[in-house]
Every structure is written in C-alpha cells, then in structure tokens.
Amino acid sequence: MLIAHLSDLHIRPQGMLYQGLVDSNTMCEQAIAHLNKLLPRPDVVIITGDLVDEGLPQEYAMARELLAGIEQPLLMIPGNHDDRTLMGSTFSQPYLSSTAGPWHFVADDLGPVRIIGVDVTVPLEHHGDMTEAAGAWLDAALAQEPTRPTLVMLHQPPFLSGIPYIDTYACRNSERLREVVQRYPAIERVVCGHIHRSMQLRFGGTVLCTAPSTTTAIGLALDAEAEEASYVEPPALLLHHWKVDTGLITHWVPIGTFRGPLPFA
C-alpha cells in the first residue's frame, strides 16, 4: 500500500502570494503534478493540515480547484491556519461523522493500513492539544482492531524539535498521546505537519515523522535565541510504503525536475 503525504500547502486566493513573497499556489500545482507521475500510483493521499493560509472562502475555492487534480481518495485534517467549518463545507470527508469538529476519523477500507486522523487543533490558536476527549477517542478507535497496521495523523507535532520559534506551537499534553500509542504496537507511524520540515524520532514505541511543506521550509535554527526565519528550500512530500515483509517504509520525495536518469545505480 502506498500513502502519499502532503502538508502545509498554505494555498492563497488566486493571484496572491504566501506571506506576500512566495507563490504557494504554483508550488502546490507542481506538487500535485509530481504526485500524479509517481509509479506505481499511490492508493491514497493524506494532507496533515494548513491546507490554506488564512482560512478565507476564496482560499478554499482555490484549494478545491487545485486539489481536483488529485485522483486518489483524499484524507485531510485541519491545521491551525484552517477554518474547520469552511474546510468541511468545501470538501467531502466521507469518514467524518460531523463537520462541526473535531475532525477525528477512521479510514479502514483503503488498503491493509488503517489511517486514523486526530484533530488536535485549537480554534483561533496556533498550538495543538491532545485533550482528554481526543485521547479517549483515539484509544477507542485503536481498540477496534488492535493488531491491524495503522498510521495516525495529526497536525501539530507532540514533541519539541529544538527550533524555539516553532516549539511554542507544538501539541500540548503529548504524554497523553504517548501513553495511548504505547498500548498499540501495531501503530506503524505517527505523522504530523505544521513544522515545515522533515524530522523523525522514536515516540511511544513507534516512529514519528513530520512532513515537509510544499512551500517554504521553516529555518533549522537550534539556537535558543534564534529569530523566526523561513527559506525557499526544495519542496517535498513523503511517500509511506507498506509491505508485508517490512512494514512501513517512509521516503522523502523532492518535488521538481532533476538531472537523470543516469545509466548506473
């Protein structure tokens, strides 16, 4: 099973730039074009939040137009830049019981890997929160098929990366999530967005990884006094490949056209 993973698209109204400087819409188009050239084709596409930048109706109209190019089933959770109500009215999410929120869902019919979305966003805030209710919901969802290979997706990462100006907005009460994850060894991966960089670490007995953005990368600054910065680094997506013999393998896939193929390996 192949799961393509996009994050933090920060789509703007037509003709407008992200932060007034970067053409995130064109970069999103390029990401989708790259995605559609992958062979074999992914079975499902997931987006771990921040579909748009300011939660505006015009942004969601643009997002609907851009994402129409994705042919696979599409699973999304909101990020801190999203408006959950507008997002729900723009896109059909067949696994949701309510569009009012939070957007928790279980997608268990797309392949051997079950995909669980946990909405940890806090309306009008940038940090996330693994609330007691969210933790209980996730525990109950996992208990339905405790031995099935599972990917859990959320927006804000439940760890401190060492980048001071993004760690302020991490997912709070991460220990609650860790305790739930530890009870289910079949969880192959916990995946996040928000941080605009690819990172990986052990978490709750499994592997947690964050997805790069399809637009700017948040500067990798580990100095406690570092000032906020972003860079136009090569955009990328993640490709999670589940096989019976290995479990889940995660690939970082740069978006663009590169020299090659060259006649050697």
Side-chain angles (χ1 to χ4, degrees):
M1 182 177 180
L2 283 174
I3 303 168
H5 180 183
L6 303 174
S7 198
D8 297 88
L9 281 59
H10 288 276
I11 291 169
R12 299 290 285 132
Q14 186 170 9
M16 295 186 66
L17 301 178
Y18 173 48
Q19 299 294 319
L21 295 170
V22 180
D23 191 349
S24 57
N25 292 0
T26 294
M27 297 174 86
C28 176
E29 287 184 295
Q30 292 169 344
I32 293 171
H34 195 100
L35 172 69
N36 288 338
K37 292 178 182 177
L38 294 176
L39 291 174
R41 294 174 63 80
D43 298 289
V44 59
V45 178
I46 65 174
I47 301 177
T48 47
D50 282 359
L51 179 62
V52 304
D53 190 49
E54 295 185 4
L56 301 175
Q58 307 95 303
E59 292 177 327
Y60 285 108
M62 191 73 245
R64 180 173 52 216
E65 179 180 331
L66 292 174
L67 269 59
I70 296 177
E71 299 176 358
Q72 293 89 344
L74 179 61
L75 301 176
M76 296 182 283
I77 52 174
N80 52 297
H81 285 263
D82 287 306
D83 181 294
R84 190 187 286 133
T85 301
L86 286 174
M87 191 170 169
S89 64
T90 303
F91 296 97
S92 173
Q93 288 279 81
Y95 300 95
L96 292 176
S97 58
S98 168
T99 57
W103 273 26
H104 304 324
F105 67 83
V106 179
D108 55 7
D109 60 353
L110 298 174
V113 177
R114 172 180 55 173
I115 301 173
I116 295 181
V118 185
D119 181 0
V120 299
T121 58
V122 180
L124 304 180
E125 300 288 349
H126 289 298
H127 69 271
D129 189 6
M130 177 54 65
T131 63
E132 185 175 351
W137 180 90
L138 177 59
D139 196 11
L142 289 164
Q144 292 176 5
E145 293 184 89
T147 62
R148 180 169 177 178
T150 298
L151 180 146
V152 176
M153 53 187 283
L154 56 154
H155 181 62
Q156 289 94 342
F159 69 94
L160 298 180
S161 69
I163 301 174
Y165 43 78
I166 195 64
D167 285 344
T168 304
Y169 308 122
C171 180
R172 299 176 184 176
N173 293 306
S174 60
E175 191 56 37
R176 183 175 287 134
L177 175 61
R178 188 190 307 272
E179 290 173 357
V180 173
V181 169
Q182 284 176 331
R183 291 197 285 272
Y184 298 93
I187 296 175
E188 292 275 354
R189 203 71 90 246
V190 176
V191 301
C192 310
H194 188 58
I195 208 162
H196 287 225
R197 299 202 68 84
S198 180
M199 300 183 186
Q200 56 184 322
L201 67 155
R202 291 183 58 81
F203 181 87
T206 188
V207 176
L208 184 152
C209 64
T210 65
S213 169
T214 58
T215 181
T216 55
I218 287 176
L220 180 56
L222 302 179
D223 184 338
E225 304 300 322
E227 296 184 359
E228 294 185 10
S230 290
Y231 295 86
V232 184
E233 296 180 3
L237 57 88
L238 298 182
L239 189 64
H240 308 289
H241 185 196
W242 186 85
K243 302 189 298 174
V244 174
D245 58 337
T246 61
L248 202 67
I249 303 171
T250 295
H251 302 275
W252 178 85
V253 183
I255 295 166
T257 301
F258 307 97
R259 183 185 176 194
L262 304 177
F264 55 83

